[in-house]
Amino acid sequence: MRSTAADIAADVVRLLTVRGETVAVAESLTGGLVAAELTAVPGASKAFRGSVTAYATELKHRMLGVDAGLLAQRGAVDPQVAAQMAAGVRKALGADWGIATTGVAGPDRQDGQPVGTVFVALDGPVGPDSGSAGGGKVQSLRLNGDRAEIRMESVRSVLALLLKELASEQTGNERAQDTERNGGF
């Protein structure tokens, strides 16, 4: 059975809290739903920095630092826009991780993209101490359903993207610690 957005959010908050790390959220089509899922988790204040709901395209540039030329050329529904939103909110709100959603929930096409076209992204720590490649990741989604279903699946997908990254880092760190304890490399 697939995990719900609430289950994934609880796991994300738990892992971030254990690691002493934080997350910030940049949202467009989800309009604050990602932040709502995270803040519904008891103890979220230890891990959640805040969010920017940049629904209007120009706010993606003004508030999140998304390249204005990119927005003018490709529109707001674009993988690079999603990546820049995640990096921008991470920087703007001083978080270890930034996650972002942009896409078309419907009922009409936007920026030449069909309904159900969604990009979710994350931006995270990079470097030798982070335990993973970190950096940025973007996932392209083609979702079916009505407006509400597309928005909720976008929430679930961006939280799952972050959870997968956190879990793989956790596993990597545990493997490294186990190898050190057992004298290996």
Side-chain angles (χ1 to χ4, degrees):
M1 189 175 127
R2 263 171 63 146
S3 297
T4 66
D7 293 337
I8 298 169
D11 287 343
V12 163
V13 168
R14 181 182 53 77
L15 277 175
L16 286 170
T17 301
V18 164
R19 296 159 61 112
E21 293 179 346
T22 58
V23 65
V25 180
E27 300 187 66
S28 186
L29 86 149
T30 50
L33 293 172
V34 177
E37 285 292 347
L38 288 167
T39 58
V41 177
S45 60
K46 293 182 184 92
F48 181 71
R49 292 280 300 157
S51 66
V52 174
T53 301
Y55 208 66
T57 298
E58 80 269 6
L59 291 180
K60 291 171 180 66
H61 170 68
R62 269 206 347 250
M63 305 293 292
L64 299 170
V66 176
D67 181 81
L70 175 67
L71 288 166
Q73 182 182 20
R74 297 202 195 147
V77 183
D78 180 82
Q80 277 185 272
V81 170
Q84 288 185 19
M85 287 172 65
V89 79
R90 177 180 174 219
K91 181 179 176 190
L93 301 186
D96 297 297
W97 296 90
I99 57 175
T101 62
T102 188
V104 187
D108 302 315
R109 295 173 68 89
Q110 181 185 334
D111 299 330
Q113 299 282 1
V115 173
T117 301
V118 175
F119 299 98
V120 296
L122 73 79
D123 188 72
V126 113
D129 297 334
S130 73
S132 91
K137 285 192 168 66
V138 179
Q139 191 173 41
S140 171
L141 307 170
R142 294 282 183 254
L143 304 177
N144 296 312
D146 64 19
R147 182 174 172 81
E149 290 167 329
I150 289 169
R151 293 173 77 215
M152 281 314 298
E153 183 56 26
S154 299
V155 171
R156 200 196 71 73
S157 295
V158 77
L159 291 171
L161 181 66
L162 178 57
L163 180 60
K164 183 178 177 186
E165 187 69 17
L166 292 170
S168 70
E169 279 199 3
Q170 194 73 14
T171 304
N173 288 339
E174 287 165 1
R175 271 198 304 269
Q177 289 167 358
D178 185 53
T179 302
E180 286 172 20
R181 275 194 298 270
N182 292 316
F185 290 100

